[in-house]
Amino acid sequence: SCLYDDLEHISLGQSYFLMFDVFRQILISIMIVLFYDIPIIALSAINFINFEIIIFLIFIRPLKNSIDLIHTSVNEICINIACWSSFVLAFMQFLRMGDANLRMNIGWIIIGANGLIMLAVVIRLAILVAESFLLIINLIKKYYKGRKESKSSRTKIYDVNFK
């Protein structure tokens, strides 16, 4: 049985992509909790884990639809940008270097990466709503077209020429 219909099921890695993703999220949570007082170690591990998932997406290609693959890859790249930026901030704090302006700019990079993820979700949602709306319109058109044809066929039955 399939875990998710939009996943490829040629290899084991493709079939269990969602389980790997959940495991990754659990592992990231564990890293954050275990190394809360040493953010450089936690962020290093998180960056490594996130980089692995991008490599997994590129080489294993677990999703059937290329749009889903592109959307997921863009999200993972944005997450990676935010994580690497956070790592740079933690490293700057550890070395006690960098001015406030540089830190502020790195913070804007993190906000921008997360904003791109939210924008991608809104775009996908808008596409889904538009496709659903078009599907409903086409169903209504087919219904009325079928109704019109059935009425015209009923009138043809009673059209008999009497001579």
Side-chain angles (χ1 to χ4, degrees):
S1 77
C2 301
L3 289 173
Y4 183 58
D5 290 337
D6 290 340
L7 290 177
E8 290 283 352
H9 297 285
I10 297 169
S11 72
L12 189 64
Q14 291 172 335
S15 296
Y16 292 105
F17 170 70
L18 290 179
M19 288 178 60
F20 291 145
D21 192 42
V22 169
F23 179 70
R24 172 185 72 133
Q25 293 172 11
I26 291 169
L27 197 57
I28 287 172
S29 299
I30 290 170
M31 289 296 147
I32 291 171
V33 170
L34 285 178
F35 299 108
Y36 72 93
D37 56 341
I38 312 169
I40 291 176
I41 294 174
L43 288 167
S44 298
I46 291 169
N47 286 331
F48 180 73
I49 294 167
N50 285 337
F51 184 71
E52 283 180 343
I53 201 79
I54 289 176
I55 298 300
F56 184 83
L57 284 171
I58 291 170
F59 290 111
I60 303 293
R61 295 183 179 262
L63 301 169
K64 288 180 184 177
N65 190 348
S66 60
I67 297 295
D68 289 336
L69 185 65
I70 291 169
H71 176 79
T72 304
S73 298
V74 167
N75 284 348
E76 291 301 325
I77 289 169
C78 289
I79 289 169
N80 244 346
I81 290 170
C83 285
W84 278 105
S85 299
S86 299
F87 176 78
V88 169
L89 280 175
F91 193 70
M92 287 172 57
Q93 182 179 353
F94 179 74
L95 295 178
R96 302 201 191 316
M97 60 180 274
D99 60 345
N101 192 26
L102 179 61
R103 290 181 183 180
M104 184 69 84
N105 289 335
I106 293 172
W108 281 112
I109 291 171
I110 296 169
I111 291 170
N114 289 322
L116 283 175
I117 293 172
M118 288 189 276
L119 180 65
V121 168
V122 168
I123 289 171
R124 284 295 300 265
L125 185 62
I127 290 170
L128 180 68
V129 167
E131 287 175 348
S132 300
F133 184 71
L134 290 175
L135 179 67
I136 290 170
I137 288 175
N138 286 335
L139 289 173
I140 291 171
K141 283 181 182 179
K142 285 181 183 179
Y143 172 76
Y144 281 116
K145 185 178 179 183
R147 228 176 133 193
K148 199 181 244 184
E149 288 175 0
S150 68
K151 280 184 180 179
S152 64
S153 67
R154 276 190 258 154
T155 57
K156 288 181 184 177
I157 294 172
Y158 299 112
D159 270 351
V160 179
N161 287 334
F162 291 106
K163 290 186 180 184

